Amino acid sequence: SDRVNSVAYSADGRLVATGSDDSDIAVWDLRTQLQIAHLEGHTQAVRSVKFSPDNKYIYSASDDSTIIKWKIANGQIEVRFEGHASEVNSLAISKDGKRIASGSNDKTVKLWNTTTGQTVHTFEGHKGSVKAVDMSKSGELIVSGSNDKTVRIWPVGKQAKVYEGHTSSIYAVALSPDEKSVAFGGHDETVRVLDI
């Protein structure tokens, strides 16, 4: 009866993972319609789940301020990412699987090394909770949306671009496939597209 907060497909379309308020992650095989893994390790609600590009791992973000990298084959924790000071709301992963980005209620966006669990960079500037993040295929560009009503474009190692003028909190962001624009939506029931 716990609310499901996030759903993700594996890249090959064979598996689906769900993250919910009960702090656990369920992994389902769509061919057999059976649950193949039940991942327990978070202490609070899971807000976001993502598969690695090679379908071997799942990343989960939680209200317990951590991100976990799970090995699907044995259900074990590979890496626990610690560094956010508050709930982690959103995750994005680079195409090569070497970096993840996260957005948190601590108002920061973090870029992580998926092998070591170390923070590569912390992006500061939002004045409210970061509710949504997306990342370019290369992992060199991150987009974030926040309760502060702004969308920020973070080129790694360079100055962020800030887009203001939205009338409400932003809960969803997505980079276009050509990475030339970003779509975002929020509490005001509109979806907008920015040329970046």
Side-chain angles (χ1 to χ4, degrees), residues 1 56 75 92 124 145 182:
S1 65
K56 292 180 180 177
E124 297 179 294
V182 60

Side-chain angles (χ1 to χ4, degrees), residues 22-51:
D22 67 2
S23 78
D24 298 342
I25 296 105
V27 186
W28 304 84
D29 186 322
L30 294 177
R31 292 167 300 179
T32 62
Q33 298 184 7
L34 295 173
Q35 184 174 325
I36 62 164
H38 185 83
L39 309 176
E40 299 180 58
H42 285 296
T43 58
Q44 294 183 48
V46 174
R47 295 290 164 199
S48 184
V49 289
K50 297 282 183 195
F51 281 88

Side-chain angles (χ1 to χ4, degrees), residues 23-139:
S23 78
D24 298 342
I25 296 105
V27 186
W28 304 84
D29 186 322
L30 294 177
R31 292 167 300 179
T32 62
Q33 298 184 7
L34 295 173
Q35 184 174 325
I36 62 164
H38 185 83
L39 309 176
E40 299 180 58
H42 285 296
T43 58
Q44 294 183 48
V46 174
R47 295 290 164 199
S48 184
V49 289
K50 297 282 183 195
F51 281 88
S52 63
D54 63 7
N55 305 314
K56 292 180 180 177
Y57 303 97
I58 287 173
Y59 295 87
S60 58
S62 171
D63 282 357
D64 66 13
S65 307
T66 72
I67 300 156
I68 294 176
K69 177 183 181 181
W70 308 84
K71 189 166 186 177
I72 298 170
N74 60 14
Q76 296 301 303
I77 294 172
E78 286 275 309
V79 183
R80 191 183 291 268
F81 302 78
E82 297 179 308
H84 276 300
S86 192
E87 295 92 340
V88 187
N89 299 308
S90 184
L91 290 176
I93 189 164
S94 62
K95 191 173 183 179
D96 64 8
K98 293 180 178 178
R99 290 180 168 190
I100 55 168
S102 58
S104 169
N105 284 0
D106 67 10
K107 306 176 187 175
T108 70
V109 174
K110 288 184 181 289
L111 183 65
W112 308 84
N113 179 308
T114 58
T115 304
T116 65
Q118 296 301 304
T119 304
V120 176
H121 195 81
T122 299
F123 302 92
E124 297 179 294
H126 277 300
K127 296 175 176 63
S129 298
V130 180
K131 294 297 185 182
V133 293
D134 199 7
M135 180 190 278
S136 65
K137 296 179 190 77
S138 67

Side-chain angles (χ1 to χ4, degrees), residues 92 126 132-136 141-146 150-154 161-164 166 170-186 190-196:
H126 277 300
V133 293
D134 199 7
M135 180 190 278
S136 65
L141 189 72
I142 297 166
V143 179
S144 58
S146 167
T150 69
V151 170
R152 288 175 184 256
I153 315 292
W154 313 87
K161 294 180 184 176
V162 183
Y163 294 91
E164 299 172 316
H166 206 60
I170 295 162
Y171 290 106
V173 295
L175 270 170
S176 62
D178 64 8
E179 300 177 3
K180 292 181 179 177
S181 62
V182 60
F184 62 95
T190 67
V191 175
R192 303 183 191 193
V193 179
L194 281 170
D195 186 339
I196 61 173

